[in-house]
Amino acid sequence: MTNSDLAERLLTVIEADILPLTEKGVSAGNKVFGAAILRKSDLSLVIAETNNETENPLWHGEVHTLKRFYERTEKPDTKGLIFLSTHEPCSMCLSAITWAGFDNFYYFFSHQDSRDSFSIPHDLKILKEVFRLDPGGYAKTNAFWRSSSIADLVATSDATAKSALRAQDKRIREKYQSLSDAYQSGKDDNAIPLN
Ligand SMILES: [Zn+2]
């Protein structure tokens, strides 16, 4: 599998599987963050989910996906699975992905994007206040997993695939921007502690 095949599949899961759930979630007052789990073998989707902090402030997109995954009767071994996060995971979600046994994760937006484009400064603030880490200061390759940004996959794709991937990337960014605007305009009314 090439980097462009993987990038195309991950972007399509965000667009076709995660975003429709996130649209509903945001209209119920939740944040824009979502996640999914895919099989390494054929990149088929196991589960997609979205943030559900209005129910429980721990239900970030990633943790909510893992919760729903472990509620299922049939759970493939996480060593054979890919974890996809729409946004680079916060410290809680980094640990949750680790405790669940994944050896990888991929993300679309970075921590800096969450702060600058989504007005959600909490991830970076927790990293700094609790762990004394600067943005992106965690180990992206470590004894447990390796994290990769989809942007890097796109950047290293072959030239013919790149323009289609860039167009898909742009479409997804625009969609998230409008969802983020909707979340921000209504967030004063929700009871999420770090909204
Ligand atoms: Zn999180």
Side-chain angles (χ1 to χ4, degrees):
M1 187 191 5
T2 63
N3 279 357
S4 58
D5 292 338
L6 181 58
E8 195 275 332
R9 178 61 184 145
L10 296 178
L11 291 174
T12 297
V13 167
I14 292 174
E15 202 168 15
D17 299 294
I18 300 175
L19 268 170
L21 298 171
T22 301
E23 279 186 63
K24 283 188 206 141
V26 169
S27 65
N30 292 294
K31 292 198 183 91
V32 301
F33 309 110
I37 296 172
L38 293 82
R39 290 178 188 82
K40 287 180 184 175
S41 55
D42 59 359
L43 300 184
S44 60
L45 182 71
V46 176
I47 190 169
E49 259 304 339
T50 195
N51 181 287
N52 193 18
E53 283 183 71
T54 54
E55 181 186 291
N56 179 329
L58 306 187
W59 297 161
H60 287 190
E62 300 92 324
V63 172
H64 196 230
T65 300
L66 291 167
K67 166 192 142 63
R68 289 277 163 86
F69 174 73
Y70 284 107
E71 284 168 354
R72 293 188 167 186
T73 44
E74 217 175 302
K75 297 172 278 280
D77 184 341
T78 48
K79 286 283 170 270
L81 301 175
I82 289 172
F83 198 93
L84 167 63
S85 190
T86 59
H87 295 66
E88 193 170 13
C90 75
S91 47
M92 172 178 76
C93 294
L94 286 175
S95 292
I97 291 165
T98 311
W99 282 106
F102 287 87
D103 65 9
N104 70 87
F105 67 85
Y106 293 84
Y107 60 90
F108 186 65
F109 294 103
S110 68
H111 279 158
Q112 289 91 331
D113 288 328
S114 295
R115 177 192 59 194
D116 301 339
S117 306
F118 293 90
S119 301
I120 307 282
H122 317 302
D123 306 38
L124 288 177
K125 197 167 180 202
I126 292 171
L127 277 180
K128 190 69 183 173
E129 290 294 320
V130 180
F131 301 99
R132 305 275 183 242
L133 289 176
D134 291 322
Y138 68 92
K140 305 218 166 180
T141 302
N142 57 58
F144 298 101
W145 40 256
R146 194 165 80 98
S147 75
S148 317
S149 79
I150 296 175
D152 286 344
L153 291 179
V154 172
T156 53
S157 291
D158 48 282
T160 43
K162 211 180 271 186
S163 64
L165 291 170
R166 291 245 159 92
Q168 196 174 11
D169 179 291
K170 183 165 179 279
R171 246 185 356 253
I172 293 171
R173 279 173 199 275
E174 286 166 357
K175 187 74 206 167
Y176 274 102
Q177 203 52 61
S178 74
L179 286 171
S180 174
D181 293 344
Y183 174 75
Q184 290 295 333
S185 68
K187 77 175 186 180
D188 290 345
D189 300 329
N190 75 35
I192 299 170
L194 299 182
N195 67 8

